[in-house]
Amino acid sequence: MSSTSHFSASRLMQDPPPPETGFNEAPAAGNERSIGEIIRDANNLSPEQIEQILAYQRENGVRFGEAAVALGLANSDDVLWALAQQFHYPYAQRQAVYHQDLVVVTQPFTEKAEAIRAIRSHLIMKVYSGNAPRPAIAILSPNSGDGKSYFAANLAAAFSQLPGRTLLIDADLRNPRQHEIFGINDRSGGLSAILSGRVASKVIHSVDGLPNLYLIPAGARPPNPLELLERNALGLMLKEFKTKFDRIIIDTPSAAQGTDGAVVAAQAGAAVMVARQDKTSIPSLQQLVRTVSLGPAKLVGSVINEF
């Protein structure tokens, strides 16, 4: 483990702090709308309501968003959304349909999301800098319940908030979750259909609200998941996708379910290991590292989920 970089995702799944509401409503440069204009349009505020907000703003020396919240004409989530719109930052309002686990999108201003973005920065510096070929990154964990699928989904979403195209592949053919997290119907096909030669149309799904993120769900659960992953089709598929996507994140089954994750990592080229604090044992981590080291994949980091 000494050769592995350790990215501690502190408080990754704890309750978020209350949102900030004190934002500068001044218009951005160019033709960008101000925060006040965005809040007005999103909440269909009437001229009379606008005047109420402006009067409260003048009397109390607060910003437009704070005044709107104080008068009950907007809420804190509306202000966060308006700020995100001004800075072109993908952010889901409460009415948007996203799984609660996708905290980078639903709770982007919390410590949970910030921890994911910090790990993203480490990976950019370690994996995606320079002129070397970019590997795909397989997300591994020793046991089920370590938070691996949660981490894979949020890491992919965080990468998609940067320029370039990000592809998330659900290679957990035993207990897939990514189609649930992103609300994708994978009955039309998926990774299992590709690997078994039954390639269906539209196996790559775009994700609503995250225009730079694409998902290949696991598809139907096959009776022989490990054998499918060991076929040459996976390597050929990843080789092609590496030319079309800037980042590829791959979710895998836990090591307790088999060697699927190590097999995928060998084809991907890089791996990040996820462990759960006070739950994952050192021997299981060491065994996973030994298994991955048998192949060509480079273990580029480890993440400790502090529940």
Side-chain angles (χ1 to χ4, degrees):
M1 297 288 291
S2 59
S3 61
T4 304
S5 298
H6 294 267
F7 311 137
S8 178
S10 178
R11 300 182 183 177
L12 210 55
M13 297 189 182
Q14 293 181 8
D15 292 333
E20 294 287 342
T21 57
F23 298 114
N24 185 354
E25 279 78 33
N31 296 321
E32 295 287 353
R33 295 185 299 164
S34 69
I35 296 294
E37 291 172 325
I38 296 173
I39 293 174
R40 177 199 64 193
D41 295 342
N43 291 274
N44 296 317
L45 298 179
S46 67
E48 292 76 14
Q49 290 173 320
I50 295 295
E51 184 54 42
Q52 286 180 338
I53 296 172
L54 293 175
Y56 187 96
Q57 184 180 10
R58 289 190 296 267
E59 292 173 5
N60 296 275
V62 297
R63 298 179 174 91
F64 185 94
E66 292 177 283
V69 171
L71 292 172
L73 299 174
N75 57 47
S76 298
D77 198 61
D78 294 329
V79 178
L80 291 174
W81 182 78
L83 183 67
Q85 292 297 302
Q86 193 179 58
F87 284 87
H88 307 288
Y89 185 84
Y91 172 57
Q93 286 182 289
R94 289 180 299 177
Q95 61 264 33
V97 181
Y98 283 99
H99 195 282
Q100 62 180 1
D101 282 354
L102 203 60
V103 296
V104 167
V105 179
T106 60
Q107 304 173 44
F109 309 108
T110 63
E111 292 184 43
K112 300 178 184 180
E114 190 60 36
I116 297 290
R117 289 193 290 267
I119 296 168
R120 178 190 66 186
S121 298
H122 283 291
L123 290 174
I124 288 174
M125 291 184 286
K126 190 163 187 177
V127 179
Y128 295 121
S129 61
N131 298 320
R134 295 185 171 191
I137 300 177
I139 309 301
L140 314 179
S141 73
N143 305 300
S144 299
D146 288 329
K148 170 183 51 57
S149 295
Y150 168 96
F151 175 72
N154 280 283
L155 181 63
F159 270 123
S160 76
Q161 292 170 336
L162 300 176
R165 289 153 51 97
T166 298
L167 175 64
L168 173 61
I169 301 175
D170 194 347
D172 187 346
L173 302 182
R174 299 175 186 268
N175 186 31
R177 285 202 62 230
Q178 298 302 336
H179 67 287
E180 296 177 355
I181 293 176
F182 289 96
I184 298 294
N185 185 346
D186 65 346
R187 293 180 180 179
S188 61
L191 182 62
S192 61
I194 297 174
L195 299 182
S196 63
R198 300 179 293 105
V199 180
S201 61
K202 299 181 180 179
V203 293
I204 301 180
H205 300 262
S206 59
V207 177
D208 291 340
L210 296 172
N212 292 329
L213 181 59
Y214 300 84
L215 169 66
I216 297 181
R221 299 187 190 185
N224 57 337
L226 181 57
E227 288 75 16
L228 283 182
L229 294 171
E230 288 179 328
R231 292 181 179 179
N232 292 333
L234 177 61
L236 294 173
M237 181 192 75
L238 289 177
K239 183 178 180 180
E240 178 182 355
F241 286 153
K242 286 176 184 178
T243 67
K244 298 181 178 181
F245 293 91
D246 298 277
R247 280 100 29 182
I248 300 175
I249 307 299
I250 310 175
D251 192 10
T252 68
S254 66
Q257 296 176 288
T259 58
D260 306 37
V263 168
V264 173
Q267 299 284 1
V272 170
M273 185 164 56
V274 177
R276 182 178 176 184
Q277 184 174 347
D278 300 327
K279 296 292 183 180
T280 305
S281 68
I282 296 299
S284 65
L285 289 171
Q286 293 173 332
Q287 179 58 47
L288 180 55
V289 171
R290 285 193 293 266
T291 302
V292 173
S293 66
L294 295 175
K298 182 179 180 182
L299 193 57
V300 296
S302 61
V303 176
I304 300 176
N305 279 336
E306 299 179 2
F307 289 82

